[in-house]
Amino acid sequence: MTISRGREAAVAGAETRTGIIIIGSGFGGLGMAIRLRQEGRDDFLILERAGDVGGTWRDNTYPGAACDVQSHLYSFSFALNPEWSHSFSRQPEIQAYLRRTAEEYEILPRVRFHHEVTSAEWDEAAGHWRVRAAGRDFAAPVLVMAAGALSDPMIPAIPGLDAFRGRAFHSSQWDHAYDLAGKRVAVIGTGASAIQFVPAIQPVVGRLHLFQRTPPWIIPRHDRPLGRAGQALFRRVPAAQKAVRAGIYLAREAFVFGFRNPRAMAVAQRTALRHLRRSVPDPVLRAKLTPDFTMGCKRVLLSNDYLPALTRPNVEVVTDAIAEIRARSIITRDRVEREVDAIILGTGFRPTDPPLAPVTRGREGRTLAEAWKGSPQAHLGTTVAGFPNLFILLGPNTGLGHTSVVYMIEAQLEHVIRALRHMRETGVAALEPRPEAQAAFVAEVDRRMRGTVWTHGGCASWYLDETGRNSTLWPDFTWRFRRRLSRFDPSEYRMTTMDGRMPR
Ligand code: NAP
């Protein structure tokens, strides 16, 4: 089996210098570039490992891929799109929106495609980051990491997976050349990706064995095509689209009450159980699909067609754990062997173990991975003590389970812009959070996390890192995050000028 983990090219060359290096060209990297342009800066470069912009929306092309947050909210506030065709847009439309936005803001000439970053080191003497990508060297005083929290696939350590002789691939690396028609297909995982592609492939495949470890909570998805009249109105009256956006924002924010008071999730759970009863008449199958943890502990999923697809005669929901994979089959712990032609891994990503962490070295020569010791931490989810002029978009504790992460990215972008302005205005060459400021923020996050559905929901989720801490999610209303990041407080940072002095 071959599962690619990224692309690399080795071309020797001289060091390229710029003002700001941005890693990644998804929502985060493009948003940063656009905000820099709006600030009148074009001394930046984006290093992108793939051949196009779009990040997760470029990579996740699996059948049925769509956003489970309404597009009027899941888009840049500074690049509203009146033309969305559905409330919940499909992947090609989101990818096209990102590409178009990059073109409109003339970002593409600043992107170095097929440049996978292999190391980033702070050079204290020179006062800049040295970044290596595709065998080339780049240097800049400021490094913005926008490589995405959900960019590298999690390939499960199931014995024998490497020895499988059929076709195997991860949902984020979909093999469109492989014809699934009539095939015996195993799907491993029942998360946000699987519930979208399972109903899309079920009518095509011969047999579908769905290996489920944990049944997710699923609520109906109220998707509808957005008519021409609405699009025309939004084109002519942007305020109308902003009002719709605000309405969606407020409705989704209501989930936070439940996340912070797990017992209040009972109302939404009743909706989900009604949805399950209506979709799955067979009580035995329904029992298999009934979650035993509090809703919200794992991401709440939205789908109208996943549960009905599981009732079709060519689908089997397997709840026995996988013991091993052989050349042409999967064997479960109860020793049942199922022959399959293909395995599709819907097993998610590695957000608490970001691939750049072991290769990013700060002021004292330590890597981010060494500083974090398995539990990522950052001041305001954005800057890290010991790592000067490093800004991480969608860094630790900035993820969400209920609404648009683009909102969080935009809050971070404003913070980075404020920090950069401060540096320019005061002659600061390098800044990083004071360890005590970072520790206070992390303590505040941990305090807000207490008693929430993520720590008291009775599930093991990928939100938790190897130390058991939730270092992934923001545990409160998102407007609180935005308000917290809306000011740049110099007293929270250690700053130096060009000659190593403290600034005036
Ligand atoms: P995921 O939510 O992490 O789900 C992974 C699935 O694989 C889970 O069901 C997990 O079971 C299962 N799994 C993992 N390792 C396994 C193993 N060794 N054996 C058996 N089962 C295993 O991954 P995802 O579905 O790709 O979604 C990841 C995230 O991407 C989402 O939470 C969401 O943030 C984002 N996403 C968003 C959208 C959107 O519409 N905006 C769409 C897709 C994805 P357990 O539950 O037991 O761990």
Side-chain angles (χ1 to χ4, degrees), residues 149-150 255-256 258-260 265 294-300 351-352 375-378 380-382 394-405 408 412 441-450 452-457 459-465 468-478 481:
L150 304 172
F255 261 108
V256 179
F259 292 159
R260 297 179 57 76
M265 291 309 288
T294 308
M295 183 192 268
C297 185
K298 287 171 186 269
R299 190 180 176 90
V300 182
T352 58
S375 191
Q377 304 189 351
L380 307 179
T382 311
L394 289 186
N397 291 110
T398 60
L400 301 173
H402 67 294
T403 189
S404 169
V405 287
M408 302 297 272
Q412 290 188 288
F441 176 75
V442 171
E444 179 190 327
V445 165
D446 289 350
R447 185 176 49 72
R448 286 173 199 255
M449 199 69 77
R450 269 181 230 137
T452 62
V453 71
W454 304 297
T455 52
H456 284 67
C459 80
S461 75
W462 59 257
Y463 298 148
L464 308 180
D465 59 38
R469 230 187 110 242
N470 187 332
S471 52
T472 312
L473 294 185
W474 170 248
D476 210 324
F477 296 101
T478 56
F481 182 77

Side-chain angles (χ1 to χ4, degrees), residues 323-335:
E324 64 172 301
I325 295 177
R326 293 194 182 157
R328 302 266 162 213
S329 62
I330 297 185
I331 299 179
T332 38
R333 290 253 171 85
D334 56 0
R335 304 318 294 171

Side-chain angles (χ1 to χ4, degrees), residues 66-68 150 156 189-193 213-214 298-299 346-349 462:
C67 188
D68 58 13
L150 304 172
T190 53
S193 302
R213 195 162 64 177
T214 315
K298 287 171 186 269
R299 190 180 176 90
T347 45
F349 302 89
W462 59 257

Side-chain angles (χ1 to χ4, degrees), residues 82-99:
E83 317 293 339
W84 292 119
S85 67
H86 287 79
S87 349
F88 296 89
S89 294
R90 283 50 172 168
Q91 172 268 336
E93 199 172 347
I94 304 172
Q95 165 67 357
Y97 161 78
L98 285 170
R99 186 150 234 290

Side-chain angles (χ1 to χ4, degrees), residues 266-336:
V267 180
Q269 285 184 191
R270 275 199 291 277
T271 305
L273 289 175
R274 202 177 319 122
H275 185 49
L276 177 61
R277 269 196 309 277
R278 282 189 189 145
S279 310
V280 182
D282 172 9
V284 177
L285 178 58
R286 208 161 59 219
K288 282 186 183 179
L289 299 172
T290 305
D292 64 354
F293 57 91
T294 308
M295 183 192 268
C297 185
K298 287 171 186 269
R299 190 180 176 90
V300 182
L301 307 184
L302 281 70
S303 175
N304 298 340
D305 51 6
Y306 171 72
L307 293 169
L310 304 188
T311 67
R312 309 306 299 162
N314 66 337
V315 179
E316 179 199 19
V317 178
V318 184
T319 51
D320 284 300
I322 299 173
E324 64 172 301
I325 295 177
R326 293 194 182 157
R328 302 266 162 213
S329 62
I330 297 185
I331 299 179
T332 38
R333 290 253 171 85
D334 56 0
R335 304 318 294 171
V336 175

Side-chain angles (χ1 to χ4, degrees), residues 23 117-125 127-132 138 140-143 145 354-372 384-392 431-432:
I23 305 175
V117 171
T118 47
S119 69
E121 297 186 5
W122 173 254
D123 183 334
E124 178 74 354
H128 60 215
W129 284 93
R130 288 186 187 286
V131 178
R132 194 155 174 80
F138 297 83
V142 175
L143 179 62
M145 223 180 245
L356 284 173
V359 295
T360 303
R361 245 170 237 289
R363 190 163 41 80
E364 289 160 358
R366 271 190 320 167
T367 64
L368 267 178
E370 285 162 353
W372 283 342
V384 184
F387 293 79
N389 296 357
L390 172 69
F391 299 94
I392 308 178
L431 63 79
E432 63 180 72

Side-chain angles (χ1 to χ4, degrees), residues 56-57 60 62 65-69 74 150 154-158 170-171 188-197 211-216 221 293 298-299 301 322 345-349 400-401 460-463:
T56 192
W57 294 106
N60 285 275
Y62 58 77
C67 188
D68 58 13
V69 177
Y74 194 91
L150 304 172
M154 203 282 280
I155 309 300
I158 301 175
H170 187 271
S171 59
I188 303 179
T190 53
S193 302
I195 66 134
Q196 294 185 335
F197 70 74
F211 291 86
Q212 171 191 275
R213 195 162 64 177
T214 315
R221 189 173 80 144
F293 57 91
K298 287 171 186 269
R299 190 180 176 90
L301 307 184
I322 299 173
L345 301 171
T347 45
F349 302 89
L400 301 173
S461 75
W462 59 257
Y463 298 148

